[in-house]
Amino acid sequence: MEVKDILTKELVVFDLEATTKEAAIEEMAEMLDERDILADKATYVRAVLDREAHSTTGIGNNIAIPHGKSESVTKSAIVFARTKEMIEWESLDDEPVNMIFLLAITDSDKTDGHLKILAEIATKLMDDDIVENLKNTRDEEEVIRILNGGVVEI
């Protein structure tokens, strides 16, 4: 399982309205719920917020990768969002966040898939050009192209 397998243009949002970490996770989880990716949105959101309480998923450079283990995920997916305003996330660099990757991983993918996806995203986000392109694009398909190294499979 790779990012290209679980991120679709329907799960890319620009100008997310949320102004808090909790609201951002809730709003993004709603996108998953609307697409029947979650069996129980409240359980999933609680798992993500519990993970946040344990340690931040704000990795720095205005980016967060929230995730949580929950049996309520029926299909692995990623929601990518940019927020209208910066959100305090208690990030590792103490800077607010405006780019969020919300991971929803099924139980069957959790063992190695979960870590593989996290590692793939984190590795890509170490590339300043990728981050800059993600911050500037207004095209859902371009987000997928950027994260797939220029290849789009739609």
Side-chain angles (χ1 to χ4, degrees):
M1 180 176 58
E2 298 177 11
V3 170
K4 68 180 181 176
D5 301 322
I6 61 176
L7 176 64
T8 64
K9 66 181 180 177
E10 295 79 23
L11 293 174
V12 174
V13 61
F14 303 108
D15 301 324
L16 193 74
E17 296 286 337
T19 57
T20 67
K21 175 184 355 186
E22 295 79 10
I25 290 168
E26 180 75 31
E27 195 174 333
M28 294 170 77
E30 182 62 30
M31 293 176 67
L32 296 169
D33 196 42
E34 289 170 354
R35 288 158 182 79
D36 296 322
I37 292 169
L38 302 176
D40 182 346
K41 183 179 90 168
T43 299
Y44 172 74
V45 169
R46 189 168 40 256
V48 174
L49 293 175
D50 287 349
R51 169 64 180 82
E52 284 294 330
H54 182 262
S55 84
T56 187
T57 59
I59 63 168
N61 204 14
N62 308 117
I63 301 168
I65 310 175
H67 55 281
K69 297 184 180 191
S70 171
E71 295 176 3
S72 65
V73 177
T74 61
K75 177 184 171 188
S76 293
I78 298 173
V79 179
F80 169 83
R82 283 199 327 243
T83 60
K84 281 187 173 184
E85 298 181 30
M86 299 300 270
I87 296 176
E88 177 53 48
W89 208 278
E90 300 168 350
S91 297
L92 297 175
D93 63 358
D94 292 322
E95 294 295 323
V97 163
N98 71 337
M99 194 163 28
I100 306 165
F101 294 83
L102 177 66
L103 276 59
I105 308 296
T106 64
D107 277 339
S108 61
D109 290 333
K110 277 185 187 157
T111 307
D112 60 348
H114 184 245
L115 296 176
K116 184 177 178 186
I117 291 294
L118 277 171
E120 181 182 350
I121 291 172
T123 298
K124 289 178 183 203
L125 295 176
M126 288 192 290
D127 183 321
D128 291 337
D129 290 335
I130 288 175
V131 172
E132 195 61 30
N133 288 333
L134 288 171
K135 286 182 177 182
N136 292 320
T137 187
R138 299 287 303 164
D139 182 312
E140 293 87 354
E141 290 181 13
E142 181 68 13
V143 169
I144 294 167
R145 195 170 16 261
I146 292 164
L147 291 170
N148 287 337
V151 178
V152 176
E153 297 176 23
I154 298 176

